[in-house]
Amino acid sequence: MFVDKNLGQKQKYQKIDISELEQVQKKKVKQNVNINVYTGNQYSDDYYKILQVRKQLPAWDAKEQLFMLLEQYQVIVLQGETGSGKTTQMPQFLLEKYCKGRGIACTQPRRVAAMSVAKRVAEEMDVTLGEEVGYSIRFEEKTSNKTILKYMTDGMLLREAMHDPKLERYSVVILDEAHERTLNTDILFGLLKEVMLKRPDDLKVVIMSATMDAEKFQKYFHNAPLLDIPGRVFPVEIFYTQKPEKSYLDAAISTTINIHAYEEPGDILVFLTGEEEIEEACKKITSEIQKLGDDVGPVRCVPLYSTLPPNQQQKIFESAPQPNKKGIQGRKIVVATNIAETSITIDGICYVVDPGFSKQKVYNPRLRVESLLASPISKASAQQRAGRAGRTRPGKCYRLYTEQSYNTELIDNTYPEILRSNLSSVVLQLKRLGIDDLVHFDFMDPPAPETLMRALEQLYYLGALDEEGNLTKFGQSMSEFPLDPQLSKILLSSKDFYVTDEILTIVALLSVQQVFQRPKDQQQQADDARYQFVHQDGDHITFLNVFKAFKEHNESSDWCYSNFINYRSLKSADKIKIQLKQIMSKLSIPSTKTDPSNALYYTYIKKALISGMFMQTAHLTKNGAYMTVKDSQIVAIHPCSVLNHKPEWILYQEFVLTSKNYLRTVTDIEGKWLYEICPEYFNPKTIKNIETRKEFEKIEKQVLEEQRRKPDLLTVEQIQKLHKHVKSERTQSVSSPKTIQK
DNA sequence: GAGCACTGC
């Protein structure tokens, strides 16, 4: 069994103290059926009203069957469409029978879902949210020692598993929305399978999913029985095109206009792949419909994608415009990314336009690159999209591909994320959970061996694994952070470079997207505003400047707005920084400081970055192009970088494959530092490109020479003392930002 | 001088 060495062998878990309470309350209940078993209070009027509604749900009829199956089996698969009530009702039923001193966990892939479902169920049970029913998501734990039913994100349960590997605080674990196959759900599948063996008598597992995947789940869980709950949705009529479409975008626009001109009232949802397409489509649809004049009704065409600010996202919930002069009804048209497939549901949609594409992440282990590619969707996805038309009344779905394409070309299910991702972080988590033999680990869909090898290799170089592939003490500390292993490494080594706070800031900002805003109609102003934060050494230190300035302006949202800084990103980075800092102190990592006026201040920051990011570095070759140091890929600095010169060596955060191989978030470094920090990785013999290899040979010679002359090489600490009072000529702190005149 | 689907710890 895996023992968490940091925490000692006998970790104590918070036990839910309800058995005694339960006895007392049960006595009371015997005397009076109007008493809430969980609180001992009289039920409210609302309780009975809601109860009537609940009893109408299809899930209600499956209650006895649920009990029957769980009597015989440790794990069951529960299949139910939207509207069946499975997420809200099943956990409540399970509470009646399987809550003996332990709680029930129900996981969700998304935070909002965990929160809103918990709130709803607390109402249904007539209890206070956060008492008997609660939720747990990052940055917000709304539970107490009375909590017996907890909705949580799947990532949160995984975090708990690190300190409670047998999940002993739960008697039932429910994995909801399992068909979405998030990375975390897939890890939990494997983990639960092992935990079930260790707790055959006191753990029940319920896998809940929409249709399509049920059989696969049953098979994976030793032929678990299936409980099928009918959904409550309206029929959706499906239309296909006769011939393949030349341009799905044009086809989507014209189909939408036709629906508007000829179909009954009812809102339209159009699926496209990204921001640019969506904005273009909205413009065209609006202008084309205006051309049709008063013979058709007025439209409100609204875009929807995740990077849209929340107040604009809210517009999708506004109702259709009023009828026009001729009394023809108005219509709302939502043009959305995949976000409308799972995360956001819009009521009142009767027509869906589905061109059959979405942007999907793909991972190339050979190049170690994740990229986004517009690709055909799966049958499951197409069904999900069609279903969006039948939530309020019978609807229609227009698929902009042929029926034959649907049958023969679309795959059944979207490849699970675990087959499309860099797995360094997954492997570290699995190692931490005590799963050592990854090659034989029971993945529902085993990742490519090469992907696993890449992950193991990276973790080895980061010092998280030893030569045998065992988790090191250092790796164990790394796994405590909710970060990519590379970033955890940077944080842990920052103390050796005397820049813990700076690195905390940079790492926090690297884990949020979009620090800078650049609206299409104000690009010049945005670039001007950004200029005041620019540090010549690159994007990482520029981020640091932004954060410092944000703090100096008291985290003002107005200041962010006028300086084209994303306020939400900065606020969330601030939260993340606090969390990371807490983990650092829990791990007893001392915080260390360097005065910004110290000549080596920026060197230290960059060296700390190298300690984790050394695998992502590039060298300028004689012909003026960059080449990645180890894989010899020809790459270019992304135009959005603040670097306006071409340093010989650079470190990059992200490799994006679009029209070219681009490096994003880049910093100027020195080749010598690479060799000093990771001599093993930059051994010249391992470098393929001749030019780069020669450079490292030179560096190696130079370093060895220096070591020969000074056998007692100065430590960073000694160097720091030497430089303590040296004022830097290169000092560059945050310039005081001016307000932009508009 | 280009363009980033969606989550989550």
Side-chain angles (χ1 to χ4, degrees), chain A residues 16 30 32 95 113 142 183 232 261 295 312 321 462 509 683 725:
Chain A
I16 298 152
K30 265 187 191 162
N32 184 350
L95 275 181
K142 205 161 174 65
L183 265 182
R232 184 171 301 149
D295 294 333
Q312 289 199 52
L462 290 173
L509 279 166
N683 180 340
H725 304 292

Side-chain angles (χ1 to χ4, degrees), chain A residues 104-137:
Chain A
I104 294 181
C106 181
T107 69
Q108 298 292 321
R110 282 168 292 279
R111 289 186 204 166
V112 227
M115 276 165 61
S116 56
V117 175
K119 187 164 169 267
R120 170 70 194 176
V121 171
E123 270 168 32
E124 291 189 0
M125 286 172 57
D126 213 3
V127 302
T128 310
L129 180 63
E131 304 264 302
E132 288 79 7
V133 177
Y135 63 84
S136 171
I137 60 178

Side-chain angles (χ1 to χ4, degrees), chain A residues 356-368:
Chain A
F357 289 92
S358 70
K359 278 194 186 162
Q360 286 163 35
K361 187 171 69 182
V362 281
Y363 177 62
N364 181 337
R366 208 147 296 166
L367 305 180
R368 300 193 180 89

Side-chain angles (χ1 to χ4, degrees), chain A residues 431 435-439 456 460 464-472:
Chain A
K431 290 275 177 187
I435 291 146
D436 288 320
D437 186 1
L438 291 169
V439 182
L456 289 166
Y460 167 74
L465 302 178
D466 64 16
E467 271 135 355
E468 275 87 49
N470 300 311
L471 190 67
T472 61

Side-chain angles (χ1 to χ4, degrees), chain A residues 303-340:
Chain A
L304 174 65
Y305 42 88
S306 74
T307 49
L308 209 60
N311 59 332
Q312 289 199 52
Q313 280 193 10
Q314 284 304 312
K315 288 192 177 156
I316 61 162
F317 297 113
E318 289 173 11
S319 52
Q322 293 298 309
N324 68 9
K325 289 181 260 177
K326 291 188 179 172
I328 305 176
Q329 289 230 5
R331 200 191 295 269
K332 178 168 69 180
I333 301 173
V334 180
V335 188
T337 60
N338 250 11
I339 194 170

Side-chain angles (χ1 to χ4, degrees), chain A residues 705-722:
Chain A
E705 179 68 15
E706 279 170 18
Q707 282 176 0
R708 196 183 55 81
R709 260 188 274 146
K710 279 190 277 176
D712 299 317
L713 209 59
L714 292 181
T715 61
V716 177
E717 195 173 0
Q718 289 167 316
I719 296 172
Q720 212 230 353
K721 274 184 191 155
L722 274 176

